[in-house]
């Protein structure tokens, strides 16, 4: 089936529109607010804190009771953001026609942006520093206290872990003191400065950056990317080949929703498409999988689809890419690859991923479609690197519990993973700003669903915030796109473009 497009603009959905005078879809239509709204979210989390509900032990039932006590409504799966208009109706109050998400790999907020408060964004909640510029955050180690320290280069070691057990040990019930102990090494306490990673600091200080964007689950890449695409990890806690044999998520993916309502989308990939983490996606929609070269061409012409997922180079030598390369539908691609990776996962050198991201974001900013484009730039999980903010409680997406082995820490999908960097770039982004609202990867789903009034997938995305708090719809401060800091091009980047 061909991709349906509206005649008025390339890549936007062929659907009825509603305007800003209609009730905001983030609110319930009986006058009560949802838990995704700023006031009731604070009341809800405050209630949980006062009642002493531990993040790691809070049941779904307890969370619902807390929500009810806070006066919030819990939206169910398959509900519409705006039930007053048909599904597939475009929300014209949201100032974009093209939504792009770039998800890099494996870095916490404090690790990638820990010095941001001293590097162009004073409201950033990163590491604490002394008057002499020395980071004060610390974790206990085998031989004493280990303080946060700056990495001098873009090189990464191998001594970090973000698996289920390690992440729970790192969070340690909210103490955030188990990072060094989890690997018996000080690497998790390292952070990068703007002198070493100029691009990520530049985009974060130029546009609006999230102070509280968390991984969707306290574990590895595949489950977190399942949340990005389906609003649930439906049992998975690990990045491995075995998980690729799982059936599709019970209520489908966002790609299924977009296809069903004629909203155009593509997964552009550098070496392997991340939609293959749910293999049925590439089996059902092979024409929606496109190369990064096609993305650059579509940016140049302004012919972008409504929704784009743009993937860096995962690398067949890395844990993410090596598993994806086993998906049968990718055999013709994988057999030709010798890629080592440029998604910034350890132990990759950060320089290649940083330069790839700069070039890709530059293509978006230079596109004729920029005036109606919104970019979410984020990371899938913390990679085992230190972050000082305890992950809050989370609404369980469905009734499917994590599939745990005999040696795994007991737990559910009722807590977020540690914080990750997240920036929203748009002509309408709040300039040099922060948002302190709680977000996770299902905010991408919530934004897509609100824009095109699509049936929600799970309880998690149904009650997640959109990214509208990053924007000022009446103020196009970046209609003329800004110039972001260009990082040094690695030798690999220079020889592969």
């Amino acid at each position: 089936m061909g991709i349906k497009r509206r005649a008025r603009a390339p890549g936007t959905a062929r659907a009825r529109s509603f305007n800003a005078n209609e009730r905001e879809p983030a609110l319930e239509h009986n006058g009560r607010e949802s838990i995704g709204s700023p006031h009731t979210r604070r009341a809800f989390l405050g209630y949980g804190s006062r009642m002493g509900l531990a993040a790691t032990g809070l049941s779904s039932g307890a969370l619902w009771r807390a929500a009810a006590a806070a006066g919030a409504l819990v939206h169910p799966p398959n509900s519409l953001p705006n039930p007053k208009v048909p599904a597939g109706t475009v929300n014209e109050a949201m100032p974009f026609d093209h939504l792009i998400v770039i998800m890099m790999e494996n870095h916490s907020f404090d690790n990638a942006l820990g010095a941001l408060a001293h590097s162009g964004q004073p409201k950033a909640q990163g590491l604490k520093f002394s008057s002499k510029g020395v980071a004060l955050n610390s974790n206990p180690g085998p031989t004493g206290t280990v303080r946060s320290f700056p990495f001098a280069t873009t090189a990464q070691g191998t001594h970090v872990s973000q698996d289920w057990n390690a992440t729970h040990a790192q969070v340690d019930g909210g103490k955030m003191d188990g990072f060094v102990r989890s690997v018996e090494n000080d690497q998790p306490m390292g952070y990068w400065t703007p002198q070493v990673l100029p691009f990520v600091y530049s985009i974060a200080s130029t546009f609006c950056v999230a102070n509280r964007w968390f991984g969707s689950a306290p574990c590895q890449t595949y489950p977190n990317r399942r949340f990005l695409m389906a609003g649930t990890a439906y049992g998975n806690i690990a990045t491995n080949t075995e998980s690729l044999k799982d059936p599709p998520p019970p209520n489908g993916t966002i790609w299924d929703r977009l296809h069903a309502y004629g909203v155009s989308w593509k997964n552009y990939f550098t070496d392997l498409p991340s939609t293959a983490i749910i293999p049925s996606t590439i089996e059902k929609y092979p024409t929606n999988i496109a190369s990064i070269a096609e993305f650059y061409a579509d940016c140049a012409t302004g012919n972008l689809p409504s929704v784009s997922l743009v993937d860096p180079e995962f690398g067949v030598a890395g844990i993410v890419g090596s598993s994806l390369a086993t998906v049968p539908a990718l055999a013709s691609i994988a057999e030709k690859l010798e890629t080592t990776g440029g998604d910034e996962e350890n132990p990759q050198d950060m320089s290649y991923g940083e330069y790839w991201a700069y070039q890709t974001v530059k293509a978006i900013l230079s596109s004729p479609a920029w005036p109606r484009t919104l970019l979410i730039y984020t990371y899938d999980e913390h990679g085992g690197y230190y972050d000082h903010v305890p992950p809050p409680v989370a609404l369980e997406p469905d009734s499917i519990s994590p599939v745990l082995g005999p040696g795994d820490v007991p737990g559910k999908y009722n807590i977020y993973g540690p914080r990750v960097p997240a920036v929203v770039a748009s002509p309408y982004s709040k300039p040099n700003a922060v948002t302190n609202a709680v977000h996770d990867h299902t905010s991408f789903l919530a934004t897509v669903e609100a824009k095109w009034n699509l049936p929600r997938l799970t309880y998690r995305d149904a009650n997640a915030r959109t990214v509208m708090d990053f924007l000022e719809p009446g103020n196009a401060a970046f209609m003329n796109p800004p110039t972001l800091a260009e990082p040094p091009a690695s030798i690999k980047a220079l020889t592969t473009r």
Side-chain angles (χ1 to χ4, degrees):
M1 180 178 293
I3 299 175
K4 299 178 180 178
R5 300 181 186 272
R6 297 183 68 194
R8 69 176 185 86
T12 52
R14 187 178 63 186
R16 178 179 171 269
S17 65
F18 62 91
N19 59 46
N21 294 323
E22 296 185 78
R23 187 183 295 270
E24 264 292 310
L27 302 181
E28 278 295 325
H29 294 270
N30 59 5
R32 298 176 68 190
E33 293 180 291
S34 77
I35 67 173
S37 64
H39 174 72
T40 54
R41 172 75 72 167
R42 287 195 295 270
F44 168 44
L45 293 178
Y47 174 85
S49 176
R50 291 192 300 274
M51 293 300 292
L53 298 172
T56 54
L58 186 65
S59 70
S60 183
L63 189 58
W64 278 52
R65 290 192 294 274
L73 295 179
V74 178
H75 301 295
N78 300 312
S79 61
L80 293 178
N82 188 347
K84 288 192 172 183
V85 298
T89 300
V90 178
N91 183 348
E92 300 290 359
M94 302 177 79
F96 60 88
D97 298 320
H98 311 283
L99 193 159
I100 301 169
V101 59
I102 295 175
M103 179 172 274
M104 305 297 282
E105 286 276 319
N106 296 30
H107 292 279
S108 71
F109 186 100
D110 283 348
N111 169 248
L113 292 173
L116 185 60
H118 299 270
S119 309
Q121 181 42 268
K123 295 181 180 179
Q125 295 175 5
L127 299 170
K128 293 182 179 179
F129 289 86
S130 71
S131 59
K132 296 182 179 180
V134 176
L136 301 176
N137 300 72
S138 65
N139 258 205
T143 59
T145 299
V146 180
R147 279 190 175 179
S148 295
F149 62 93
F151 288 129
T153 72
T154 52
Q156 289 190 88
T158 60
H159 302 290
V160 287
S161 176
Q162 70 282 7
D163 67 27
W164 176 268
N165 287 348
T167 303
H168 282 78
Q170 292 157 6
V171 173
D172 192 17
K175 297 177 184 177
M176 310 305 284
D177 63 359
F179 289 85
V180 174
R181 286 196 304 263
S182 69
V183 291
E184 297 185 351
N185 192 276
D186 63 0
Q187 182 180 336
M189 300 305 294
Y191 69 94
W192 276 282
T193 65
Q195 290 73 36
V196 182
L197 296 182
F199 167 72
V200 71
Y201 273 88
S202 178
I203 191 173
S205 60
T206 299
F207 295 104
C208 186
V209 64
N211 270 330
R212 296 177 64 80
W213 189 298
F214 296 87
S216 293
C219 46
Q220 292 181 304
T221 287
Y222 282 12
N224 274 286
R225 287 182 180 266
R226 282 187 178 187
F227 267 99
L228 178 78
M229 295 185 278
T232 174
Y234 58 102
N236 187 29
I237 63 167
T239 296
N240 55 37
T241 302
E242 197 63 27
S243 68
L244 299 175
K245 301 174 184 177
D246 291 345
N251 207 27
T253 68
I254 194 63
W255 318 120
D256 295 324
R257 292 287 197 267
L258 293 169
H259 178 81
Y261 290 93
V263 183
S264 59
W265 68 272
K266 284 186 181 180
N267 175 196
Y268 298 95
F269 68 96
T270 301
D271 61 344
L272 293 163
S274 65
T275 46
I277 289 171
I278 302 175
S280 60
T281 300
I282 59 173
E283 294 166 1
K284 288 190 290 186
Y285 311 116
T287 60
N288 294 79
I289 312 302
S291 71
I292 192 68
E294 187 172 334
F295 176 72
Y296 293 138
D298 289 347
C299 280
T301 62
N303 191 35
L304 290 166
S306 297
V307 180
S308 301
L309 172 59
V310 185
D311 291 327
E313 181 185 293
F314 293 112
V316 293
I319 183 173
V320 175
S322 60
S323 295
L324 282 177
T326 67
V327 175
L330 297 182
S332 61
I333 297 173
E335 65 186 9
K336 304 173 185 177
L337 293 177
E338 297 180 357
T339 51
T340 56
D343 56 15
E344 300 185 349
E345 178 184 18
N346 79 293
Q348 297 169 11
D349 191 291
M350 294 285 284
S351 62
Y352 179 46
E354 169 95 338
Y355 190 75
W356 177 91
Y358 165 77
Q359 292 281 55
T360 303
V361 172
K362 182 180 178 182
I364 295 168
L365 297 176
S366 303
S367 173
W370 168 249
R372 295 292 296 177
T373 295
L374 182 146
L375 166 66
I376 300 174
Y377 183 83
T378 189
Y379 289 72
D380 59 359
E381 34 92 348
H382 72 298
Y385 285 106
Y386 171 77
D387 194 81
H388 78 277
V389 177
V393 296
L395 192 63
E396 291 182 55
D398 46 37
S399 61
I400 305 172
S401 296
V403 178
L404 304 175
D408 290 326
V409 176
K412 298 183 178 182
Y413 299 121
N414 60 4
I415 178 176
Y416 294 112
R419 287 191 309 166
V420 294
V423 179
V424 171
S426 158
Y428 298 91
S429 289
K430 297 174 181 176
N432 185 228
V434 302
T435 173
N436 293 317
V438 172
H439 293 272
D440 79 315
H441 303 327
T442 62
S443 287
F444 160 67
L445 299 178
T447 304
V448 172
E449 291 157 357
K451 175 65 181 180
W452 288 280
N453 205 35
L454 302 179
R456 292 145 163 163
L457 292 162
T458 71
Y459 284 104
R460 181 70 73 84
D461 61 287
N463 296 284
R465 294 176 183 272
T466 70
V467 299
M468 288 298 288
D469 55 308
F470 290 78
L471 308 181
E472 289 181 311
N475 178 29
F478 296 110
M479 191 58 70
N480 293 320
T483 299
L484 301 179
E486 179 175 358
S490 67
I491 294 176
K492 180 178 179 182
L494 289 172
T495 58
T496 55
R497 279 189 57 80

